[in-house]
Amino acid sequence: MGTLLDVNNLKTRFHTPEGTVFAVNGISFKIDEGETLALVGESGCGKSVSMLSILGLIAIPPGEIASGTAIYRGADLLKMEEIDLEHIRGKEIAMVFQDSMTSLNPVLSIGRQITETLHTHMGMNHEQAVKRTIELLEWVGISDAPDRLGAYPHQFSGGMRQRVMIAMALACTPSILIADEPTTALDVTIQAQIVELVIHMREQMGMAMIWITHDLGVVAGLADRVNVMYAGYIVEEANVDTLYDDPRHPYTNSLLAALPRADRRRDHRLKSIPGAPPNLLVEPKGCPFAPRCEYARERCWDENPGLSVVGTNHRIACWVDIKTGDLR
């Protein structure tokens, strides 16, 4: 399989009255055709900002793409003019946002919002667009689709609005679907339905997918590879099975230890991560996780480690071998 998107050394800053926010700090990753990549980390670590940066969706100013490239089919998305990006967003690379209520236009019917996408990117006439919209809504599980075209977002439940968002994202059969925590604020049953729906759509369409989440529990049955982010850095990347079987970065290890598991005793206490996320107004001198890390050594405070190989398709940004507690 060929590489669809190749991101290298992406840095995004936000210049605010309080100072410069170091939101994304030189991340690099690739995604191949048909592959699902999970981007995992706690809120504020730069997951969503990195994807919005690639698609040219951050406001400049206050935002700034300080460096990096994002090569999609031979062209650098970060250097494209807005008019050229508009032909890619929605058609070639689509995004499902986490808050459907604020992502959908409240004063336009869902039928109009989807048909406009088809008019713009696919050149369909009104009759063709309406027919395709009904097919999409039925495909994502919206009952009585022809009668729902004139309905407005507030007339749908949260789960149904998220299905509408997925239908809109898939309307033009994109090569890459970016799903930004699409199950946020939904109850557990609806979350499972949305995850199953997206997996089914991906298999049917053969598209690549980037799934952004803070929930490692969702990732196991969904992704092929996982990138774990912390404070704007990728701190571990591995195949999904390797990450769960052999986590090598202290942050990843702590995240997995905090997950509830069916094979643990009922009185087992979940592990928490001490401390608080770093202040991104200050660019870290050493490892950004050092203040919260039980394995931290003097070098961790002085020098920020880059990603280094620890196994097949497995890299971490850490000076310490957590299996032995020794410096690597």
Side-chain angles (χ1 to χ4, degrees), residues 17-316:
E18 291 76 24
T20 298
V21 178
F22 297 89
V24 179
N25 297 308
I27 68 169
S28 301
F29 66 89
K30 297 179 180 181
I31 184 166
D32 295 334
E33 296 175 1
E35 181 183 38
T36 297
L37 172 68
L39 208 55
V40 176
E42 59 197 48
S43 297
C45 72
K47 307 183 301 295
S48 299
V49 170
S50 60
M51 295 300 105
L52 294 174
S53 299
I54 289 166
L55 293 177
L57 292 175
I58 65 167
I60 301 176
E64 177 198 7
I65 308 297
S67 74
T69 58
I71 308 301
Y72 173 74
R73 298 193 186 281
D76 187 354
L77 298 176
L78 301 183
K79 292 181 172 58
M80 279 189 181
E81 297 292 334
E82 176 63 21
I83 191 169
D84 296 320
L85 263 179
E86 287 176 355
H87 292 299
I88 290 177
R89 286 196 302 254
K91 182 178 182 181
E92 304 263 346
I93 305 175
M95 191 163 181
V96 179
F97 297 92
Q98 58 182 288
D99 188 348
S100 58
M101 197 63 208
T102 56
S103 300
L104 292 168
N105 191 322
V107 300
L108 296 180
S109 68
I110 59 105
R112 180 174 173 183
Q113 294 186 59
I114 299 176
T115 55
E116 280 189 352
T117 300
L118 295 167
H119 292 318
T120 301
H121 292 299
M122 306 299 287
M124 292 184 179
N125 61 34
H126 180 70
E127 184 179 336
Q128 292 170 328
V130 169
K131 181 180 178 182
R132 174 63 172 162
T133 298
I134 292 171
E135 291 174 352
L136 287 164
L137 291 177
E138 290 175 341
W139 202 12
V140 298
I142 304 289
S143 58
D144 302 319
D147 298 329
R148 306 302 297 274
L149 293 180
Y152 291 84
H154 71 272
Q155 295 175 293
F156 290 81
S157 67
M160 288 296 106
R161 283 196 299 269
Q162 205 58 277
R163 290 174 185 267
V164 170
M165 288 288 296
I166 293 169
M168 190 180 302
L170 299 180
C172 302
T173 321
S175 299
I176 302 175
L177 176 68
I178 300 172
D180 186 1
E181 302 199 50
T183 59
T184 296
L186 302 178
D187 65 56
V188 175
T189 303
I190 303 301
Q191 284 183 21
Q193 292 175 3
I194 295 298
V195 171
E196 289 177 8
L197 172 63
V198 173
I199 292 174
H200 176 69
M201 298 291 103
R202 180 199 65 191
E203 292 172 347
Q204 290 289 310
M205 302 175 71
M207 62 187 172
M209 184 166 67
I210 300 174
W211 186 280
I212 301 171
T213 184
H214 61 269
D215 186 356
L216 272 169
V218 172
V219 170
L222 180 73
D224 300 307
R225 287 190 301 115
V226 184
N227 284 351
V228 179
M229 288 191 67
Y230 186 80
Y233 297 90
I234 292 176
V235 296
E236 183 159 11
E237 58 180 34
N239 295 331
V240 65
D241 291 338
T242 301
L243 190 88
Y244 282 86
D245 293 340
D246 187 25
R248 300 292 295 275
H249 193 280
Y251 178 59
T252 311
N253 194 51
S254 296
L255 286 178
L256 289 171
L259 282 178
R261 290 175 46 167
D263 59 351
R264 286 177 175 155
R265 291 171 43 183
R266 296 186 63 176
D267 61 351
H268 177 82
R269 294 181 63 86
L270 296 178
K271 182 178 178 180
S272 61
I273 303 175
N279 179 5
L280 295 181
L281 288 168
V282 180
E283 187 172 19
K285 178 185 176 183
C287 172
F289 190 62
R292 307 174 71 184
C293 182
E294 62 183 295
Y295 301 96
R297 301 291 185 271
E298 184 176 349
R299 187 179 186 184
C300 303
W301 295 91
D302 296 332
E303 190 177 352
N304 195 350
L307 287 167
S308 59
V309 176
V310 292
T312 304
N313 298 319
H314 192 179
R315 299 195 301 165
I316 63 169

